[in-house]
Amino acid sequence: MLQNSVMILSAYMTFVIAQNYLEVSGVIALVGFGLTVSYMGRPRLKPQVNKFMRQFWELAAHIANTLIFIIVGIVITLKVDFSWMDLLILICVYAGINIIRILIITIFYPIMKRSGYGLSVRESTILSWGGLRGALGLTMALMVSYTFSIPEPIRRQVLFLTAGIVTLTLTINATTIGWLLRKLGLAKIPSSKLLLDYSVKEQLYEGSEKYLKDLKQKEALEATDWSIVEQFLPQKEIYPKMPVRTKDVMADIRLRILDRERSLYWSLYTNGVISSGTQRRLNAAIDEQYDRDGKKPLCDRGDIFEFCEEPSWIISMKFFSRFFQKWVDIYYQDRIILGYDLARGLIIAQKESLKLVNEFGSSEAVSTEYESCLSLLQVEIRKNITRASNFFRKISIDYPKSYKEAVARKSVRLLLSNEKKRIEQFKEQGLISWEEAEQMVNDLGERHNKVFTSHQFLK
């Protein structure tokens, strides 16, 4: 609760300082504050705090959005009188902002096409037409309408035009964007997604069918009319007809694997298996993969493995002095331990990714082209596992003290993670109250922090 209160106070302070003292837009400053907290603050907060804050801010955002639209509607009704000429100006402004947006995207298209995620012509079309306006613009217009240093006619016009643009984009752009997506072929579900959905639903059906057979064997349920119960089985799926384009399929499946990895890293962090720094670096590597839209091999994790490898200056110095290597083992320990943590988190994720690929391969819908794609993906994943395992062996030989420290911390994390799971189980079973469980988790968190705050965990 304290951290959430600090976050709310920080948001207000950001707005007040930006608006009143720095004389810049407080609303835009809040947007920057939100992006910073989302990227930098989230991994540094306790997992249970993150969960509460996400739910709190989702509710707060929903309430704020609703209130802004209601307030603007009331203010326009009370303060703004518009004529047919005003409506004509509004239509011209609406057309103008769309034309300007199209021109800007057209001008910068060559740059955006070759940088970042890349941009196709179809995607740029959606980007041009999808410029919806909403609560942010209305908030700024509302602030202008109550800035008394601005002449009254201008304030009214800004409020009317902003509200009108928001209304037009929501009624025209938003309602037609789906049709445009389908027309351009961007609403089509990727073949790998269809295959994964089919595989999941097929496993769900088989599991339910197997469980039903077990139920039929129970004596206590002999009187059951099983024909009625069978009606509640999930519908058996027919495997989809999938046009195969090997290049696209590879990219699609890689993206699904990366999605699963990202989710797994967050789960490992919330369970205390990896540290927040490890989670940030692993997710940064996934972001880099996403920048290539799945066209980059899964084994291309340069940032992670470069961090794990010894810097060139250490390698060169090791030739001159064995004492220097011992010095590195002691004073370079934090980096070595983080490298161990990165490699361990990567191995866990790659093993899960390998299971996902195997699930794809076990599906009846897999064609020969898909099998070749999956085989290549298995090779990429195994390369990651091999490189990470080699790193373990290397540091265990070159830096035994740091390696023992890292393994000890791993054991402590696993021990505390198991304790946390037990506390959650006791809470769900009603053996302890919610308050008692929270106190136990907080105490556990304090013990967990000792693993990271002590420079040398081992005596």
Side-chain angles (χ1 to χ4, degrees), residues 19-279:
Q19 190 76 22
N20 297 332
Y21 296 97
L22 301 180
E23 296 184 354
V24 296
S25 172
V27 177
I28 300 300
L30 275 178
V31 173
F33 172 78
L35 291 172
T36 303
V37 170
S38 177
Y39 181 74
M40 300 294 295
R42 187 168 176 252
R44 289 176 167 82
L45 296 173
K46 294 180 180 179
Q48 60 268 30
V49 174
N50 268 309
K51 182 179 179 181
F52 174 78
M53 287 187 64
R54 185 183 71 251
Q55 295 171 343
F56 172 82
W57 285 109
E58 283 178 357
L59 177 62
H62 178 73
I63 294 173
N65 271 289
T66 305
L67 285 176
I68 287 169
F69 276 89
I70 293 173
I71 292 171
V72 169
I74 294 172
V75 171
I76 288 177
T77 303
L78 296 176
K79 297 182 65 174
V80 177
D81 295 322
F82 55 89
S83 62
W84 289 106
M85 180 58 67
D86 293 323
L87 290 175
L88 180 61
I89 293 173
L90 172 62
I91 294 172
C92 292
V93 171
Y94 169 74
I97 62 173
N98 280 289
I99 292 171
I100 291 171
R101 186 180 179 90
I102 292 170
L103 288 175
I104 291 174
I105 292 173
T106 303
I107 292 170
F108 288 97
Y109 173 74
I111 299 174
M112 292 188 290
K113 181 181 179 181
R114 293 171 174 81
S115 61
Y117 292 94
L119 192 70
S120 66
V121 175
R122 294 184 300 170
E123 291 168 341
S124 62
T125 304
I126 295 298
L127 190 61
S128 301
W129 187 244
L132 306 182
R133 274 73 179 180
L136 184 60
L138 289 176
T139 303
M140 299 179 75
L142 199 60
M143 291 173 62
V144 169
S145 70
Y146 282 94
T147 303
F148 298 107
S149 59
I150 301 174
E152 179 69 17
I154 295 178
R155 285 188 279 150
R156 290 180 178 179
Q157 189 176 39
V158 168
L159 186 60
F160 170 72
L161 290 177
T162 304
I165 293 299
V166 169
T167 303
L168 288 173
T169 56
L170 292 178
T171 54
I172 298 176
N173 298 56
T175 56
T176 57
I177 195 73
W179 172 84
L180 187 58
L181 282 167
R182 290 189 295 272
K183 197 72 175 175
L184 295 174
L186 293 175
K188 187 177 180 181
I189 300 175
S191 53
S192 63
K193 177 63 175 173
L194 289 173
L195 182 61
L196 179 59
D197 288 346
Y198 168 75
S199 176
V200 170
K201 291 176 181 178
E202 186 68 15
Q203 291 179 41
L204 183 63
Y205 176 81
E206 291 174 357
S208 298
E209 196 175 41
K210 182 180 178 181
Y211 184 68
L212 180 61
K213 290 180 180 179
D214 294 338
L215 289 178
K216 290 180 179 180
Q217 304 300 321
K218 295 183 180 294
E219 294 182 5
L221 303 176
E222 286 181 354
T224 303
D225 187 346
W226 295 110
S227 61
I228 296 176
V229 177
E230 288 172 355
Q231 296 176 13
F232 292 88
L233 282 171
Q235 186 177 0
K236 187 172 177 60
E237 292 291 316
I238 300 174
Y239 72 83
K241 297 179 180 178
M242 297 171 291
V244 177
R245 292 176 58 188
T246 304
K247 183 176 68 173
D248 293 340
V249 168
M250 285 287 290
D252 289 340
I253 298 178
R254 283 192 185 115
L255 291 177
R256 301 288 78 74
I257 291 172
L258 292 173
D259 286 336
R260 183 161 179 172
E261 275 192 42
R262 191 191 299 276
S263 175
L264 181 62
Y265 291 144
W266 181 252
S267 176
L268 291 174
Y269 166 63
T270 55
N271 290 324
V273 178
I274 60 175
S275 66
S276 60
T278 301
Q279 188 253 349

